[in-house]
Amino acid sequence: MKINNLLYPLLFLALISCGGKNENSSPSNNKKDNEKTEDSEITEKKITEKDLVFKPVIAESGELAPEDSFIVKDFFGLSKDSIRIKFNSDNKVKFFSIVEQRSGRIVKTFKKTSDVDFTYDVFFDNPFSVKIYFPKESYYNLEVSRKSGSIDNYLSKAKLIRDSVVVSKKTNKSKIGTTMAFEKVFNQPKKFIVSSTFSMSGESKVYVPIEIPKNTVEFIYTLRISGDEDTEREDGKLFNDVNRISKKVKVFGLPLWESEEKSTSLSREILNSLFPPKKDEDYTLNVFFFDKQKEIKKFIQYPGKEYASAFKYDINNSALSTQSRVGLVKKPYSGFSYIGLQSTSSFSDTYAWLDVVALYEKTFHYEIRYRIQK
C-alpha cells in the first residue's frame, strides 16, 4: 500500500509533463487558431439554391417624371442570370424599352402602357438599360431585380463601369462634343517702339492689325511694356502656357469649351491661370482695341484727351496708363482686331511685345458605353 501511495504523485507529475508541454500551445497561438476557425466557418458557409433569388438592383418608389421627359436607368446581368422588371405609373408612357447596351439590341419594348412586369434570361454578360419616355408629368415606381444563375455569379464582385469613348465618325448612338483648339497668330511676338523722344507733345502712337483665323471664337493676348529694349525669356511663351493650362480641365480626355464643373468657360479659366508679363513700374501705355479700321485713323489723328467722344473703341478690353497685361478678347465680325498703343512716358522710348493665341471650337463625336468589370 505504501508503494502504491508513492506512485500516485509520480504518475500525476508524469501526466502533467507529457500533456502540458506543446510548442504550439502558447496563448498567442491559441488565439490565432481561434481566429482561423472563425474565418473558416465564415468562408465555408454554404451557398445553396435557396440563396439564388431575385434581389433588387434598382428600386425607385413614388418618383416624379417631368412632362416630355426621357429617363434612362442602367444595370447589368451575368450569363445565366434572370432579370425581372416591374414598373407602374399614374399615366401611360409613350414607350418602355429594355436595351442591350453592347449591341444596341432591343430586348423588349412596351408602348402606351402604365404597367410592366417582365422577366428575361441573360445569355451573355451584358450591360442593359431601361429607357422610358413620359409624355405627361407622372409618378412612377420602378424595380429591377437580378437572380444569379450560379453560385459564382452570386459571389461575383462585378460592377458596371461607364466609359465615354471618342469615335472617328458619327454613329447612330454618338453625341457631339465641342473641344477647344488653339494656334499662334504671330510666329514670334511683335515688338514695337512707341517713341516719344522727338514728339513735342511728349507722346506718340502706333497701331497693330491682328488678323484672326476664320474659326476663332476668342483670342488671348499678352502685352509686355518696358523701357528696356532687350527681349525677355518669357516673350513668346504664351502658346505653351495656354497648351499646358488647357490640359487641366478635361472631359472625355479632351478640353471642352465649357466646363460644367465650374459653370464657366475654359478660356476664362485659362486666362485666370496665366501670369501677367513682367511689369516695369516706370512705363505704361494707353491701350485701345478697335473692331473697325476707320476708327484707327481717328485714333492716330486725335490730339486731345477726350477719347470716348473722339473714336469708338472696345471699352471692356482697353485701358489707360496700363502696365504689362494679359487679356481675352472676342473675335470681331470683320476678322481683324486692331490694337492702338499710345505712349504716356515723357520724352522716353517705350517698348512693347505683343503675343496672341487664337482659340477656336472643334467638334468631335463620342459614345457613352458600358462594360462589366469583374
Side-chain angles (χ1 to χ4, degrees), residues 137-175:
E137 184 178 74
S138 305
Y139 283 100
Y140 70 91
N141 301 317
L142 174 66
E143 182 178 283
V144 178
S145 302
R146 181 167 69 94
K147 178 182 178 182
S148 297
S150 66
I151 294 174
D152 287 341
N153 286 10
Y154 182 91
L155 297 174
S156 173
K157 301 297 184 181
K159 58 182 179 180
L160 189 63
I161 303 297
R162 171 175 169 157
D163 294 322
S164 301
V165 181
V166 177
V167 294
S168 59
K169 59 182 180 180
K170 183 179 180 180
T171 68
N172 60 346
K173 296 193 297 181
S174 66
K175 303 177 184 294

mmCIF file of all heavy atoms in Angstrom, residues 137-175:
data_model
loop_
_atom_site.group_PDB
_atom_site.id
_atom_site.type_symbol
_atom_site.label_atom_id
_atom_site.label_comp_id
_atom_site.label_asym_id
_atom_site.label_seq_id
_atom_site.Cartn_x
_atom_site.Cartn_y
_atom_site.Cartn_z
ATOM 1 N N GLU A 137 -46.489 64.575 -67.153
ATOM 2 C CA GLU A 137 -45.920 64.505 -65.811
ATOM 3 C C GLU A 137 -46.532 63.314 -65.090
ATOM 4 O O GLU A 137 -47.759 63.178 -65.045
ATOM 5 C CB GLU A 137 -46.208 65.804 -65.056
ATOM 6 C CG GLU A 137 -45.570 65.851 -63.683
ATOM 7 C CD GLU A 137 -45.844 67.166 -62.979
ATOM 8 O OE1 GLU A 137 -47.004 67.345 -62.518
ATOM 9 O OE2 GLU A 137 -44.939 68.015 -62.920
ATOM 10 N N SER A 138 -45.672 62.457 -64.509
ATOM 11 C CA SER A 138 -46.181 61.205 -63.942
ATOM 12 C C SER A 138 -45.394 60.799 -62.709
ATOM 13 O O SER A 138 -44.174 61.016 -62.628
ATOM 14 C CB SER A 138 -46.078 60.067 -64.979
ATOM 15 O OG SER A 138 -46.727 60.406 -66.182
ATOM 16 N N TYR A 139 -46.110 60.184 -61.781
ATOM 17 C CA TYR A 139 -45.461 59.497 -60.676
ATOM 18 C C TYR A 139 -45.273 58.041 -61.093
ATOM 19 O O TYR A 139 -46.154 57.442 -61.728
ATOM 20 C CB TYR A 139 -46.313 59.559 -59.405
ATOM 21 C CG TYR A 139 -46.253 60.903 -58.715
ATOM 22 C CD1 TYR A 139 -47.277 61.829 -58.891
ATOM 23 C CD2 TYR A 139 -45.174 61.239 -57.904
ATOM 24 C CE1 TYR A 139 -47.226 63.071 -58.261
ATOM 25 C CE2 TYR A 139 -45.121 62.474 -57.267
ATOM 26 C CZ TYR A 139 -46.145 63.380 -57.457
ATOM 27 O OH TYR A 139 -46.090 64.609 -56.840
ATOM 28 N N TYR A 140 -44.133 57.468 -60.700
ATOM 29 C CA TYR A 140 -43.898 56.087 -61.134
ATOM 30 C C TYR A 140 -43.110 55.314 -60.082
ATOM 31 O O TYR A 140 -42.417 55.879 -59.233
ATOM 32 C CB TYR A 140 -43.149 56.039 -62.461
ATOM 33 C CG TYR A 140 -41.706 56.470 -62.395
ATOM 34 C CD1 TYR A 140 -40.679 55.535 -62.163
ATOM 35 C CD2 TYR A 140 -41.329 57.805 -62.545
ATOM 36 C CE1 TYR A 140 -39.350 55.927 -62.093
ATOM 37 C CE2 TYR A 140 -40.005 58.201 -62.479
ATOM 38 C CZ TYR A 140 -39.017 57.258 -62.251
ATOM 39 O OH TYR A 140 -37.710 57.657 -62.177
ATOM 40 N N ASN A 141 -43.235 53.976 -60.160
ATOM 41 C CA ASN A 141 -42.434 53.041 -59.368
ATOM 42 C C ASN A 141 -41.664 52.154 -60.345
ATOM 43 O O ASN A 141 -42.212 51.713 -61.363
ATOM 44 C CB ASN A 141 -43.322 52.150 -58.489
ATOM 45 C CG ASN A 141 -44.174 52.956 -57.528
ATOM 46 O OD1 ASN A 141 -43.693 53.905 -56.910
ATOM 47 N ND2 ASN A 141 -45.444 52.586 -57.401
ATOM 48 N N LEU A 142 -40.414 51.894 -60.034
ATOM 49 C CA LEU A 142 -39.595 51.039 -60.896
ATOM 50 C C LEU A 142 -38.722 50.149 -60.028
ATOM 51 O O LEU A 142 -38.039 50.630 -59.122
ATOM 52 C CB LEU A 142 -38.702 51.882 -61.817
ATOM 53 C CG LEU A 142 -37.683 51.108 -62.666
ATOM 54 C CD1 LEU A 142 -38.386 50.224 -63.688
ATOM 55 C CD2 LEU A 142 -36.723 52.062 -63.370
ATOM 56 N N GLU A 143 -38.763 48.846 -60.311
ATOM 57 C CA GLU A 143 -37.884 47.909 -59.615
ATOM 58 C C GLU A 143 -37.257 46.961 -60.624
ATOM 59 O O GLU A 143 -37.957 46.318 -61.408
ATOM 60 C CB GLU A 143 -38.646 47.108 -58.564
ATOM 61 C CG GLU A 143 -37.742 46.150 -57.769
ATOM 62 C CD GLU A 143 -38.489 45.384 -56.694
ATOM 63 O OE1 GLU A 143 -38.770 45.992 -55.639
ATOM 64 O OE2 GLU A 143 -38.793 44.189 -56.932
ATOM 65 N N VAL A 144 -35.927 46.912 -60.613
ATOM 66 C CA VAL A 144 -35.182 45.969 -61.442
ATOM 67 C C VAL A 144 -34.479 45.013 -60.490
ATOM 68 O O VAL A 144 -33.712 45.448 -59.617
ATOM 69 C CB VAL A 144 -34.149 46.678 -62.344
ATOM 70 C CG1 VAL A 144 -33.358 45.649 -63.150
ATOM 71 C CG2 VAL A 144 -34.837 47.663 -63.273
ATOM 72 N N SER A 145 -34.745 43.712 -60.644
ATOM 73 C CA SER A 145 -34.155 42.706 -59.757
ATOM 74 C C SER A 145 -33.352 41.708 -60.578
ATOM 75 O O SER A 145 -33.662 41.433 -61.744
ATOM 76 C CB SER A 145 -35.241 41.970 -58.977
ATOM 77 O OG SER A 145 -36.011 42.873 -58.214
ATOM 78 N N ARG A 146 -32.320 41.170 -59.949
ATOM 79 C CA ARG A 146 -31.458 40.189 -60.624
ATOM 80 C C ARG A 146 -31.395 38.909 -59.795
ATOM 81 O O ARG A 146 -31.168 38.958 -58.590
ATOM 82 C CB ARG A 146 -30.060 40.748 -60.824
ATOM 83 C CG ARG A 146 -29.113 39.800 -61.542
ATOM 84 C CD ARG A 146 -27.851 40.538 -61.997
ATOM 85 N NE ARG A 146 -27.013 40.930 -60.874
ATOM 86 C CZ ARG A 146 -25.989 40.209 -60.408
ATOM 87 N NH1 ARG A 146 -25.704 39.039 -60.976
ATOM 88 N NH2 ARG A 146 -25.269 40.645 -59.405
ATOM 89 N N LYS A 147 -31.579 37.776 -60.469
ATOM 90 C CA LYS A 147 -31.445 36.463 -59.844
ATOM 91 C C LYS A 147 -30.194 35.803 -60.403
ATOM 92 O O LYS A 147 -30.098 35.570 -61.613
ATOM 93 C CB LYS A 147 -32.673 35.607 -60.125
ATOM 94 C CG LYS A 147 -32.589 34.199 -59.536
ATOM 95 C CD LYS A 147 -33.829 33.403 -59.893
ATOM 96 C CE LYS A 147 -33.740 31.981 -59.363
ATOM 97 N NZ LYS A 147 -34.923 31.173 -59.748
ATOM 98 N N SER A 148 -29.223 35.538 -59.548
ATOM 99 C CA SER A 148 -27.971 34.941 -60.002
ATOM 100 C C SER A 148 -28.223 33.548 -60.575
ATOM 101 O O SER A 148 -28.957 32.741 -59.995
ATOM 102 C CB SER A 148 -26.966 34.850 -58.852
ATOM 103 O OG SER A 148 -26.635 36.140 -58.395
ATOM 104 N N GLY A 149 -27.570 33.273 -61.710
ATOM 105 C CA GLY A 149 -27.757 31.977 -62.365
ATOM 106 C C GLY A 149 -26.848 30.896 -61.834
ATOM 107 O O GLY A 149 -26.996 29.723 -62.203
ATOM 108 N N SER A 150 -25.890 31.278 -60.981
ATOM 109 C CA SER A 150 -24.963 30.299 -60.411
ATOM 110 C C SER A 150 -24.391 30.863 -59.127
ATOM 111 O O SER A 150 -24.505 32.065 -58.839
ATOM 112 C CB SER A 150 -23.834 29.983 -61.396
ATOM 113 O OG SER A 150 -23.024 31.135 -61.594
ATOM 114 N N ILE A 151 -23.761 29.982 -58.354
ATOM 115 C CA ILE A 151 -23.130 30.426 -57.112
ATOM 116 C C ILE A 151 -21.977 31.377 -57.409
ATOM 117 O O ILE A 151 -21.753 32.356 -56.690
ATOM 118 C CB ILE A 151 -22.650 29.204 -56.292
ATOM 119 C CG1 ILE A 151 -23.872 28.394 -55.815
ATOM 120 C CG2 ILE A 151 -21.800 29.644 -55.103
ATOM 121 C CD1 ILE A 151 -23.529 27.103 -55.120
ATOM 122 N N ASP A 152 -21.236 31.104 -58.501
ATOM 123 C CA ASP A 152 -20.146 32.006 -58.899
ATOM 124 C C ASP A 152 -20.676 33.415 -59.191
ATOM 125 O O ASP A 152 -20.056 34.418 -58.824
ATOM 126 C CB ASP A 152 -19.419 31.457 -60.128
ATOM 127 C CG ASP A 152 -18.537 30.257 -59.796
ATOM 128 O OD1 ASP A 152 -18.217 30.082 -58.606
ATOM 129 O OD2 ASP A 152 -18.185 29.497 -60.719
ATOM 130 N N ASN A 153 -21.815 33.467 -59.882
ATOM 131 C CA ASN A 153 -22.427 34.770 -60.156
ATOM 132 C C ASN A 153 -22.833 35.459 -58.860
ATOM 133 O O ASN A 153 -22.675 36.679 -58.703
ATOM 134 C CB ASN A 153 -23.656 34.605 -61.049
ATOM 135 C CG ASN A 153 -23.287 34.299 -62.485
ATOM 136 O OD1 ASN A 153 -22.129 34.031 -62.797
ATOM 137 N ND2 ASN A 153 -24.272 34.319 -63.368
ATOM 138 N N TYR A 154 -23.359 34.678 -57.933
ATOM 139 C CA TYR A 154 -23.807 35.223 -56.649
ATOM 140 C C TYR A 154 -22.634 35.846 -55.883
ATOM 141 O O TYR A 154 -22.767 36.900 -55.263
ATOM 142 C CB TYR A 154 -24.446 34.105 -55.832
ATOM 143 C CG TYR A 154 -25.005 34.532 -54.494
ATOM 144 C CD1 TYR A 154 -26.328 34.951 -54.369
ATOM 145 C CD2 TYR A 154 -24.202 34.511 -53.343
ATOM 146 C CE1 TYR A 154 -26.843 35.344 -53.142
ATOM 147 C CE2 TYR A 154 -24.703 34.900 -52.114
ATOM 148 C CZ TYR A 154 -26.022 35.322 -52.010
ATOM 149 O OH TYR A 154 -26.518 35.714 -50.802
ATOM 150 N N LEU A 155 -21.487 35.193 -55.931
ATOM 151 C CA LEU A 155 -20.311 35.647 -55.189
ATOM 152 C C LEU A 155 -19.482 36.670 -55.975
ATOM 153 O O LEU A 155 -18.527 37.240 -55.437
ATOM 154 C CB LEU A 155 -19.421 34.452 -54.826
ATOM 155 C CG LEU A 155 -20.052 33.404 -53.898
ATOM 156 C CD1 LEU A 155 -19.120 32.212 -53.748
ATOM 157 C CD2 LEU A 155 -20.362 34.013 -52.537
ATOM 158 N N SER A 156 -19.838 36.908 -57.217
ATOM 159 C CA SER A 156 -19.057 37.811 -58.066
ATOM 160 C C SER A 156 -19.083 39.250 -57.529
ATOM 161 O O SER A 156 -20.101 39.725 -57.017
ATOM 162 C CB SER A 156 -19.605 37.799 -59.499
ATOM 163 O OG SER A 156 -18.971 38.775 -60.287
ATOM 164 N N LYS A 157 -17.967 39.924 -57.660
ATOM 165 C CA LYS A 157 -17.854 41.329 -57.267
ATOM 166 C C LYS A 157 -17.979 42.252 -58.483
ATOM 167 O O LYS A 157 -17.491 43.385 -58.480
ATOM 168 C CB LYS A 157 -16.499 41.577 -56.584
ATOM 169 C CG LYS A 157 -16.263 40.733 -55.348
ATOM 170 C CD LYS A 157 -17.264 41.045 -54.241
ATOM 171 C CE LYS A 157 -16.950 40.262 -52.981
ATOM 172 N NZ LYS A 157 -17.924 40.521 -51.896
ATOM 173 N N ALA A 158 -18.630 41.782 -59.513
ATOM 174 C CA ALA A 158 -18.743 42.552 -60.757
ATOM 175 C C ALA A 158 -19.478 43.872 -60.516
ATOM 176 O O ALA A 158 -20.362 43.965 -59.668
ATOM 177 C CB ALA A 158 -19.482 41.739 -61.811
ATOM 178 N N LYS A 159 -19.079 44.887 -61.286
ATOM 179 C CA LYS A 159 -19.763 46.180 -61.216
ATOM 180 C C LYS A 159 -19.812 46.812 -62.608
ATOM 181 O O LYS A 159 -19.014 46.476 -63.490
ATOM 182 C CB LYS A 159 -19.072 47.114 -60.227
ATOM 183 C CG LYS A 159 -17.619 47.394 -60.522
ATOM 184 C CD LYS A 159 -17.032 48.295 -59.440
ATOM 185 C CE LYS A 159 -15.557 48.585 -59.695
ATOM 186 N NZ LYS A 159 -14.974 49.469 -58.653
ATOM 187 N N LEU A 160 -20.738 47.737 -62.764
ATOM 188 C CA LEU A 160 -20.958 48.383 -64.054
ATOM 189 C C LEU A 160 -20.075 49.622 -64.162
ATOM 190 O O LEU A 160 -20.070 50.472 -63.279
ATOM 191 C CB LEU A 160 -22.431 48.768 -64.194
ATOM 192 C CG LEU A 160 -22.895 49.262 -65.571
ATOM 193 C CD1 LEU A 160 -22.745 48.167 -66.612
ATOM 194 C CD2 LEU A 160 -24.350 49.719 -65.503
ATOM 195 N N ILE A 161 -19.322 49.714 -65.254
ATOM 196 C CA ILE A 161 -18.421 50.838 -65.496
ATOM 197 C C ILE A 161 -18.909 51.608 -66.715
ATOM 198 O O ILE A 161 -19.205 51.015 -67.762
ATOM 199 C CB ILE A 161 -16.973 50.358 -65.749
ATOM 200 C CG1 ILE A 161 -16.473 49.526 -64.566
ATOM 201 C CG2 ILE A 161 -16.055 51.550 -65.998
ATOM 202 C CD1 ILE A 161 -16.376 50.286 -63.267
ATOM 203 N N ARG A 162 -18.994 52.932 -66.571
ATOM 204 C CA ARG A 162 -19.424 53.794 -67.676
ATOM 205 C C ARG A 162 -18.200 54.467 -68.293
ATOM 206 O O ARG A 162 -17.383 55.060 -67.580
ATOM 207 C CB ARG A 162 -20.402 54.855 -67.170
ATOM 208 C CG ARG A 162 -20.738 55.930 -68.189
ATOM 209 C CD ARG A 162 -21.784 56.877 -67.669
ATOM 210 N NE ARG A 162 -21.918 58.045 -68.526
ATOM 211 C CZ ARG A 162 -22.984 58.810 -68.602
ATOM 212 N NH1 ARG A 162 -24.024 58.512 -67.851
ATOM 213 N NH2 ARG A 162 -23.028 59.851 -69.393
ATOM 214 N N ASP A 163 -18.077 54.374 -69.615
ATOM 215 C CA ASP A 163 -16.967 54.989 -70.339
ATOM 216 C C ASP A 163 -17.514 55.944 -71.393
ATOM 217 O O ASP A 163 -18.590 55.716 -71.952
ATOM 218 C CB ASP A 163 -16.106 53.934 -71.042
ATOM 219 C CG ASP A 163 -15.385 53.029 -70.057
ATOM 220 O OD1 ASP A 163 -14.938 53.546 -69.024
ATOM 221 O OD2 ASP A 163 -15.286 51.818 -70.318
ATOM 222 N N SER A 164 -16.764 57.002 -71.661
ATOM 223 C CA SER A 164 -17.072 57.911 -72.760
ATOM 224 C C SER A 164 -15.972 57.730 -73.797
ATOM 225 O O SER A 164 -14.809 58.021 -73.531
ATOM 226 C CB SER A 164 -17.108 59.360 -72.274
ATOM 227 O OG SER A 164 -18.080 59.499 -71.256
ATOM 228 N N VAL A 165 -16.339 57.224 -74.966
ATOM 229 C CA VAL A 165 -15.360 56.844 -75.981
ATOM 230 C C VAL A 165 -15.500 57.753 -77.194
ATOM 231 O O VAL A 165 -16.578 57.855 -77.793
ATOM 232 C CB VAL A 165 -15.555 55.373 -76.395
ATOM 233 C CG1 VAL A 165 -14.508 54.973 -77.431
ATOM 234 C CG2 VAL A 165 -15.476 54.465 -75.173
ATOM 235 N N VAL A 166 -14.409 58.425 -77.561
ATOM 236 C CA VAL A 166 -14.407 59.258 -78.763
ATOM 237 C C VAL A 166 -14.336 58.359 -79.991
ATOM 238 O O VAL A 166 -13.518 57.441 -80.058
ATOM 239 C CB VAL A 166 -13.204 60.223 -78.751
ATOM 240 C CG1 VAL A 166 -13.155 61.042 -80.039
ATOM 241 C CG2 VAL A 166 -13.283 61.153 -77.543
ATOM 242 N N VAL A 167 -15.217 58.601 -80.964
ATOM 243 C CA VAL A 167 -15.254 57.799 -82.191
ATOM 244 C C VAL A 167 -14.838 58.664 -83.376
ATOM 245 O O VAL A 167 -14.949 59.888 -83.346
ATOM 246 C CB VAL A 167 -16.651 57.191 -82.422
ATOM 247 C CG1 VAL A 167 -16.974 56.170 -81.342
ATOM 248 C CG2 VAL A 167 -17.736 58.270 -82.441
ATOM 249 N N SER A 168 -14.356 58.011 -84.419
ATOM 250 C CA SER A 168 -13.804 58.744 -85.564
ATOM 251 C C SER A 168 -14.865 59.412 -86.416
ATOM 252 O O SER A 168 -14.604 60.399 -87.092
ATOM 253 C CB SER A 168 -12.970 57.793 -86.431
ATOM 254 O OG SER A 168 -13.770 56.706 -86.890
ATOM 255 N N LYS A 169 -16.090 58.886 -86.403
ATOM 256 C CA LYS A 169 -17.163 59.480 -87.190
ATOM 257 C C LYS A 169 -18.499 59.298 -86.489
ATOM 258 O O LYS A 169 -18.624 58.505 -85.554
ATOM 259 C CB LYS A 169 -17.214 58.874 -88.585
ATOM 260 C CG LYS A 169 -17.432 57.367 -88.603
ATOM 261 C CD LYS A 169 -17.412 56.831 -90.035
ATOM 262 C CE LYS A 169 -17.642 55.318 -90.061
ATOM 263 N NZ LYS A 169 -17.626 54.790 -91.445
ATOM 264 N N LYS A 170 -19.496 59.986 -86.961
ATOM 265 C CA LYS A 170 -20.822 59.961 -86.354
ATOM 266 C C LYS A 170 -21.447 58.577 -86.491
ATOM 267 O O LYS A 170 -21.352 57.933 -87.529
ATOM 268 C CB LYS A 170 -21.709 61.008 -87.021
ATOM 269 C CG LYS A 170 -23.097 61.120 -86.413
ATOM 270 C CD LYS A 170 -23.908 62.205 -87.106
ATOM 271 C CE LYS A 170 -25.307 62.313 -86.500
ATOM 272 N NZ LYS A 170 -26.105 63.357 -87.164
ATOM 273 N N THR A 171 -22.097 58.111 -85.412
ATOM 274 C CA THR A 171 -22.841 56.855 -85.429
ATOM 275 C C THR A 171 -24.255 57.118 -84.931
ATOM 276 O O THR A 171 -24.571 58.223 -84.471
ATOM 277 C CB THR A 171 -22.167 55.794 -84.545
ATOM 278 O OG1 THR A 171 -22.282 56.210 -83.171
ATOM 279 C CG2 THR A 171 -20.686 55.638 -84.900
ATOM 280 N N ASN A 172 -25.097 56.096 -84.987
ATOM 281 C CA ASN A 172 -26.479 56.288 -84.538
ATOM 282 C C ASN A 172 -26.581 56.440 -83.015
ATOM 283 O O ASN A 172 -27.609 56.856 -82.491
ATOM 284 C CB ASN A 172 -27.363 55.117 -85.002
ATOM 285 C CG ASN A 172 -26.879 53.780 -84.456
ATOM 286 O OD1 ASN A 172 -25.767 53.670 -83.951
ATOM 287 N ND2 ASN A 172 -27.691 52.758 -84.564
ATOM 288 N N LYS A 173 -25.498 56.131 -82.284
ATOM 289 C CA LYS A 173 -25.501 56.269 -80.829
ATOM 290 C C LYS A 173 -24.589 57.394 -80.345
ATOM 291 O O LYS A 173 -24.510 57.644 -79.150
ATOM 292 C CB LYS A 173 -25.043 54.958 -80.176
ATOM 293 C CG LYS A 173 -25.957 53.774 -80.418
ATOM 294 C CD LYS A 173 -25.620 52.611 -79.507
ATOM 295 C CE LYS A 173 -24.223 52.086 -79.753
ATOM 296 N NZ LYS A 173 -23.895 50.933 -78.867
ATOM 297 N N SER A 174 -23.918 58.049 -81.265
ATOM 298 C CA SER A 174 -22.921 59.042 -80.848
ATOM 299 C C SER A 174 -23.554 60.388 -80.521
ATOM 300 O O SER A 174 -24.637 60.723 -81.002
ATOM 301 C CB SER A 174 -21.855 59.212 -81.926
ATOM 302 O OG SER A 174 -22.404 59.784 -83.099
ATOM 303 N N LYS A 175 -22.848 61.145 -79.716
ATOM 304 C CA LYS A 175 -23.224 62.508 -79.363
ATOM 305 C C LYS A 175 -22.121 63.442 -79.864
ATOM 306 O O LYS A 175 -21.008 63.003 -80.152
ATOM 307 C CB LYS A 175 -23.383 62.647 -77.853
ATOM 308 C CG LYS A 175 -24.403 61.686 -77.242
ATOM 309 C CD LYS A 175 -24.436 61.837 -75.727
ATOM 310 C CE LYS A 175 -25.369 60.816 -75.095
ATOM 311 N NZ LYS A 175 -26.775 61.056 -75.470
#
